[in-house]
Amino acid sequence: MKKTITVFRGDGIGPEITDSVLKVLEAAGAPLEYEMFNVGQKEWETNGKLIPDEAYASFEKNRVLLKAPITTPVGFGFRSLNVTLRTKYDLYANIRPVRSNSAVKTRFENVDVVIFRENTEGMYIGRENMVDEDTAEAIRLTTRKATRRIIRAAFDYAVKNNRRKVTCVHKANILKMTEGMILSEFREIAKEYPQIEADDKIVDAACMQLVIDPTKFDVMVMENLFGDILSDLCSGLIGGLGLVPSSNIGDDYAMFEAVHGSAPDIAGKHLANPTAFLWSACLMLEYLGEKECAAKIRRAVDDVLTEGKHLTGDLHGTASTDEYIEAVIAALK
């Protein structure tokens, strides 16, 4: 039976990479049906809402969302739509696998890191105050409940996927209450997983060690802001955000997205690289139990990247988005 999912087509390059990914899913025989919605800045300009009510209702019904990049209007009064969706549906685990590929030659060839970022707390709660006209403050929230569940999610992933180590990235040497809670919970929970090596790194030292030798890291878990920064750092080790997928998992809902921006400067020019969004769709298929279909798509993408004849401009090629996708579909066949 086919599974119905919700699709947000996004802004900028969002609609074109969405169409590209759906073509590949169809060619791979993914048993999916779609409820499609326009969201973001253009939708707000047209209808006065960044996300229409019927789009929310669809996600709440289907519980699985494939979301293209969205432009949040710049200025006061507009909160990031990504943050809104993550908090509204308690998508507490942001999981970003970062792996080397043959398309982009970087300093490192064997990067294989999975970042677990707590998605609902930290600085991203958006609680800011003007103390006086010259002083602003931001409140960071850390709870034991959210801390425990993201740490357990990281260890459970390590066990399920035969990973060797989980590293907690923190700043407990300075932030002794918030980060201290995270570190102490990590050390306690690690005792429940004796088969997995557990260690911890202060965030600045972790950044330094990642750019020296990322093979020292395997699964990494951290709070929201550090996860935002380190996931982008790790993407740079393999060639950029155009190659990094992302899933946002909660107990009841799941959202899959590319973490790069909407790139309005190239929108409609068919120059965008849809790889990150395509791999995010593979994460979605695995979440839905369609592992063979996901593996088939991954092999096809790997074949195209390895061949190197149909790469987009960000991968130092000359292919259009359409040419790249047609090559992936040909590899599927």
Side-chain angles (χ1 to χ4, degrees):
M1 294 182 62
K2 290 187 175 183
K3 167 69 176 178
T4 301
I5 67 164
T6 302
V7 179
F8 289 0
R9 299 183 74 241
D11 297 302
I13 61 172
E16 57 198 272
I17 66 171
T18 299
D19 293 344
S20 297
V21 167
L22 297 186
K23 286 180 182 178
V24 174
L25 291 174
E26 181 180 2
L32 300 173
E33 293 182 346
Y34 311 105
E35 294 178 355
M36 310 272 290
F37 297 91
N38 295 318
V39 299
Q41 182 167 340
K42 191 172 182 180
E43 180 67 18
W44 171 73
E45 292 170 351
T46 303
N47 298 312
K49 290 187 176 182
L50 294 168
I51 301 177
D53 293 341
E54 55 268 27
Y56 281 123
S58 174
F59 183 27
E60 289 166 10
K61 173 173 65 77
N62 297 325
R63 298 180 179 268
V64 176
L65 171 62
L66 183 63
K67 185 189 75 63
I70 295 175
T71 301
T72 298
V74 177
F76 291 97
F78 292 102
R79 193 182 188 201
S80 164
L81 287 184
N82 288 336
V83 173
T84 298
L85 288 164
R86 291 167 186 166
T87 54
K88 180 178 177 66
Y89 296 104
D90 199 24
L91 305 172
Y92 60 85
N94 180 220
I95 308 167
R96 299 188 185 182
V98 183
R99 297 185 180 92
S100 296
N101 67 88
S102 57
V104 179
K105 301 301 179 184
T106 68
R107 180 174 177 177
F108 307 104
E109 297 181 351
N110 298 305
V111 179
D112 187 3
V113 176
V114 182
I115 293 178
F116 274 71
R117 167 189 176 187
E118 203 292 314
N119 231 1
T120 63
E121 294 189 342
M123 300 294 287
Y124 280 74
I125 60 173
R127 295 182 191 171
E128 297 181 295
N129 301 297
M130 293 301 300
V131 178
D132 56 47
E133 62 180 11
D134 298 315
T135 309
E137 68 177 7
I139 297 172
R140 169 187 161 162
L141 178 69
T142 301
T143 67
R144 208 172 296 278
K145 174 185 175 181
T147 297
R148 286 172 174 167
R149 67 183 181 179
I150 190 64
I151 292 170
R152 289 191 188 281
F155 275 104
D156 288 342
Y157 178 93
V159 171
K160 185 177 179 180
N161 292 276
N162 298 313
R163 310 293 293 209
R164 70 184 191 281
K165 180 170 70 171
V166 177
T167 300
C168 176
V169 178
H170 63 89
K171 194 65 177 175
N173 57 326
I174 302 297
L175 302 172
K176 298 184 182 296
M177 292 184 181
T178 53
E179 290 292 297
M181 180 191 295
I182 292 172
L183 181 57
S184 64
E185 289 296 330
F186 176 81
R187 288 174 173 170
E188 283 301 309
I189 291 172
K191 296 175 184 177
E192 302 173 20
Y193 299 85
Q195 71 274 44
I196 303 296
E197 180 185 351
D199 72 346
D200 64 89
K201 303 287 183 187
I202 296 174
V203 62
D204 40 317
C207 291
M208 179 191 69
Q209 292 179 28
L210 275 166
V211 300
I212 293 174
D213 183 7
T215 62
K216 292 182 178 179
F217 296 90
D218 190 0
V219 177
M220 306 173 73
V221 62
M222 63 207 75
E223 63 87 42
N224 209 333
L225 181 59
F226 295 164
D228 188 19
I229 295 168
L230 263 70
S231 59
D232 278 20
L233 183 154
C234 288
S235 76
L237 301 177
I238 67 164
L241 287 172
L243 297 166
V244 179
S246 174
S247 59
N248 302 268
I249 308 297
D251 292 334
D252 299 312
Y253 299 94
M255 176 175 73
F256 302 86
E257 60 180 342
V259 295
H260 56 69
S262 58
D265 55 319
I266 62 170
K269 297 180 181 179
H270 297 277
L271 300 175
N273 176 10
T275 303
F277 199 35
L278 187 53
W279 277 339
S280 298
C282 288
L283 293 178
M284 179 188 69
L285 287 171
E286 291 169 344
Y287 175 83
L288 294 170
E290 299 294 336
K291 295 183 178 181
E292 291 184 10
C293 187
K296 185 164 57 173
I297 294 173
R298 290 183 191 280
R299 287 194 297 269
V301 175
D302 285 340
D303 288 346
V304 172
L305 294 176
T306 300
E307 184 183 39
K309 293 181 180 179
H310 301 90
L311 304 182
T312 51
D314 62 312
L315 301 180
H316 310 293
T318 59
S320 67
T321 306
D322 296 334
E323 289 168 338
Y324 173 80
I325 287 298
E326 289 304 319
V328 172
I329 291 173
L332 277 170
K333 296 177 180 179

